[in-house]
Amino acid sequence: MSKRKSREQHFTVGECVSQVQGILRKRFCHQQLPEKPLGLESQYKHLLELLRRTAVHGESNSVLIVGPRGAGKTMLLRLALRELLELSEVKKNVLQVHLSGLLQTDDRIALKEITRQLQLENVVGDRVFGSFAENLVFLLEALKKGDKSSSRPVFFILEEFDLFAHHKNQTLLYNLLDVSQSAQAPVAVVGLTCRLDVLELLEKRVKSRFSHRQIHLLNSLRFSQYQEAFCTELTLSDDFPDSKFSQEWNHNIKKLCEEKSVVEILQKHFNSSTDFRSLHSLLLLAVSRISVSNPSLKASDLLEASRMSSADSKGNILHGLSILELCLIIAMKHLNDIYEGEPFNFQMVHNEFKKFLQRKSHSIHNFEKPVVFKAFEHLLQLELIRPVDGGVCKVQREYQLMRLMLDHTQVMEALQRYPQCPTDVKQWAVSAFG
């Protein structure tokens, strides 16, 4: 105990910060699995039960895990495998084959990878398998040998499952699902995909061999759980080398979770996306701001990280516009307010701009109409405005109907950050009647 204390006293702030960043980055970059799948409890239970039936009872299964990117499909599967492999009889017995549609681009490559992962490469006894057909026959025979009690269960995990459906004749999918249906060898085929219509891609003979089990990841996460996950992800565990630093850090995180500004930031991110990938991106940016001079996380770090992670591409384009182009955007914003979002044309925008010049502006030069039209066309090229009819309608360019592709908030935020924006232009933007 005394040795531990003396060791703790030798840790500098720099060493502690370095260790904190290492631990948290490992968490946020998906190298470390969470304790439990938040918001996906029922799906986790279902998947675990299916895999357990194959691993323990020798029952063949096939299942698809369907959900958008970042929903936690791979995480869910890895958690289920982790819990299952904690059982010693399962760990010794189960074989796993991991394939990806992005890497195994045809059935021949996929079969070679299966053979490699099952350690059945090329030579068994004195036999050498050269061709695809021989290799396939051998592999299927190897899986089908023996009865349920003497065959080792095999999990086939197919990431990007929909890409395997594009392989010629879907030979690999057909044979895997055929083995899982034949029940001669205990096999679980688990496909992970983002496509809801994935079954429509399968041939009839493949579809007939699939169990039609699907696990949909529709995240039912509540904001309170999201907040709890935020605190948990940033909290250091008890085995951190410097207990004093760890206690101070955790106390600071607890206070941070209760701050109103932090709750507002989290609510904003939760409203736009409930997946943990976006939360981890936010936390990674925030954690990268801690240093020896700033050893604890502050609300300002999260605010800056939030600004960086939710940077608005269209809003950023506004910062590079000329004053004339910015004035045209403001004129369009006013037209949107006056006519409640109805489309406008160049002539209407030009009239609005001229009104501003006559009434309020002392800092903006009175541009000729062709120059203003050139600026209007530049906004069209930048896709900040777009034609209502897609540019098909044969009318004069000045009278072609357009829509502004920015909302009120984006325009106002960009104006606040615009370098050296004239005061009368800002006042015109916030005025109610243009």
Side-chain angles (χ1 to χ4, degrees):
M1 190 71 183
S2 58
K3 278 184 184 176
R4 187 182 168 192
K5 279 186 179 175
S6 62
R7 193 167 70 246
E8 282 173 2
Q9 286 164 3
H10 286 91
F11 273 103
T12 62
V13 175
E15 286 172 326
C16 288
V17 166
S18 176
Q19 291 222 19
V20 166
Q21 285 195 333
I23 290 165
L24 296 183
R25 279 177 179 163
K26 193 175 177 185
R27 258 182 225 173
F28 305 151
C29 295
H30 299 275
Q31 294 168 1
Q32 194 173 22
L33 287 172
E35 286 299 312
K36 53 182 181 177
L38 272 177
L40 300 169
E41 289 80 3
S42 62
Q43 292 96 323
Y44 175 68
K45 208 173 172 184
H46 186 185
L47 179 62
L48 185 62
E49 184 54 33
L50 281 174
L51 295 177
R52 185 183 277 119
R53 278 192 231 152
T54 302
V56 178
H57 304 297
E59 181 186 304
S60 290
N61 282 304
S62 53
V63 63
L64 277 175
I65 303 172
V66 185
R69 297 205 181 276
K73 298 183 292 294
T74 306
M75 180 270 293
L76 190 78
L77 179 63
R78 284 175 65 198
L79 277 172
L81 288 172
R82 183 180 73 180
E83 184 169 330
L84 205 58
L85 294 174
E86 281 172 1
L87 302 168
S88 57
E89 68 272 16
V90 171
K91 192 174 184 179
K92 289 175 193 168
N93 209 24
V94 167
L95 296 168
Q96 291 180 51
V97 176
H98 293 261
L99 302 175
S100 170
L102 295 169
L103 298 174
Q104 283 76 45
T105 50
D106 64 41
D107 287 346
R108 186 182 291 273
I109 297 168
L111 197 68
K112 278 184 180 176
E113 184 59 20
I114 292 169
T115 311
R116 186 190 70 78
Q117 290 189 36
L118 290 175
Q119 297 176 354
L120 302 169
E121 294 152 280
N122 295 328
V123 183
V124 174
D126 297 327
R127 294 190 59 185
V128 177
F129 300 93
S131 72
F132 173 87
E134 281 178 21
N135 208 338
L136 178 63
V137 169
F138 164 72
L139 183 63
L140 295 178
E141 284 303 312
L143 290 176
K144 288 181 179 179
K145 266 180 191 170
D147 55 21
K148 285 184 187 179
S149 59
S150 62
S151 289
R152 291 180 72 181
V154 187
F155 293 156
F156 285 97
I157 291 139
L158 310 182
E159 296 260 8
E160 308 294 341
F161 181 86
D162 49 290
L163 298 182
F164 286 100
H166 297 302
H167 292 190
K168 190 183 175 184
N169 299 330
Q170 298 182 357
T171 312
L172 179 79
L173 290 182
Y174 172 78
N175 283 296
L176 286 179
L177 292 171
D178 189 49
V179 172
S180 76
Q181 201 185 45
S182 67
Q184 291 181 40
V187 167
V189 180
V190 183
L192 292 88
T193 182
C194 298
R195 291 191 59 166
L196 287 167
D197 64 342
V198 67
L199 290 182
E200 303 306 313
L201 304 174
L202 301 179
E203 291 178 8
K204 257 187 182 175
R205 64 188 190 129
V206 178
K207 207 186 281 188
S208 67
R209 280 158 177 78
F210 177 56
S211 67
H212 289 264
R213 284 194 189 94
Q214 292 186 57
I215 297 173
H216 288 267
L217 299 200
L218 302 168
N219 205 321
S220 57
L221 199 69
R222 297 187 303 276
F223 181 61
S224 58
Q225 290 176 303
Y226 191 80
Q227 274 182 295
E228 185 191 325
F230 167 79
C231 291
T232 308
E233 292 291 293
L234 285 171
T235 302
L236 296 175
S237 58
D238 296 336
D239 59 358
F240 189 78
D242 191 323
S243 60
K244 189 180 175 215
F245 183 89
S246 150
Q247 283 166 10
E248 285 173 5
W249 173 274
N250 290 346
H251 178 67
N252 176 60
I253 294 299
K254 202 174 177 183
K255 278 171 63 183
L256 195 68
C257 295
E258 293 162 4
E259 281 192 39
K260 192 185 172 187
S261 58
V262 172
V263 173
E264 283 171 1
I265 293 166
L266 289 178
Q267 186 71 64
K268 180 186 166 190
H269 277 263
F270 180 77
N271 291 344
S272 63
S273 173
T274 57
D275 71 67
F276 286 113
R277 191 179 286 180
S278 63
L279 177 64
H280 286 155
S281 300
L282 172 73
L283 296 182
L284 200 57
L285 287 168
V287 166
S288 65
R289 292 175 63 82
I290 66 167
S291 60
V292 177
S293 56
N294 177 34
S296 60
L297 209 58
K298 297 184 179 70
S300 57
D301 296 328
L302 276 163
L303 190 64
E304 183 60 23
S306 173
R307 193 186 63 73
M308 287 168 70
S309 67
S310 58
D312 180 7
S313 56
K314 280 195 166 70
N316 288 341
I317 291 172
L318 291 179
H319 301 162
L321 297 181
S322 66
I323 288 291
L324 169 59
E325 289 161 346
L326 193 66
C327 286
L328 294 185
I329 291 284
I330 294 168
M332 293 169 199
K333 180 188 86 72
H334 282 310
L335 287 169
N336 267 352
D337 292 344
I338 295 163
Y339 299 110
E340 297 179 344
E342 287 295 310
F344 51 81
N345 58 33
F346 168 72
Q347 199 59 51
M348 293 164 73
V349 174
H350 187 243
N351 290 344
E352 197 70 23
F353 177 55
K354 270 167 63 181
K355 273 194 245 172
F356 163 64
L357 291 180
Q358 287 162 7
R359 284 184 316 193
K360 296 179 181 174
S361 177
H362 308 292
S363 60
I364 307 296
H365 177 69
N366 194 356
F367 294 94
E368 296 293 320
K369 191 173 180 178
V371 177
V372 179
F373 187 64
K374 193 76 179 168
F376 186 82
E377 287 200 309
H378 186 230
L379 296 176
L380 184 61
Q381 286 172 350
L382 292 171
E383 297 182 3
L384 294 175
I385 55 173
R386 70 168 177 83
V388 169
D389 55 14
V392 178
C393 192
K394 302 289 181 188
V395 295
Q396 267 184 282
R397 295 294 292 275
E398 290 92 335
Y399 300 102
Q400 192 176 12
L401 289 175
M402 300 279 177
R403 279 195 194 282
L404 181 63
M405 303 309 290
L406 298 155
D407 62 31
H408 180 277
T409 315
Q410 286 174 303
V411 176
M412 297 314 291
E413 279 182 6
L415 269 171
Q416 293 304 316
R417 295 193 196 130
Y418 190 89
Q420 298 172 337
C421 183
T423 310
D424 46 2
V425 172
K426 280 189 180 178
Q427 286 172 346
W428 179 39
V430 297
S431 65
F433 305 104

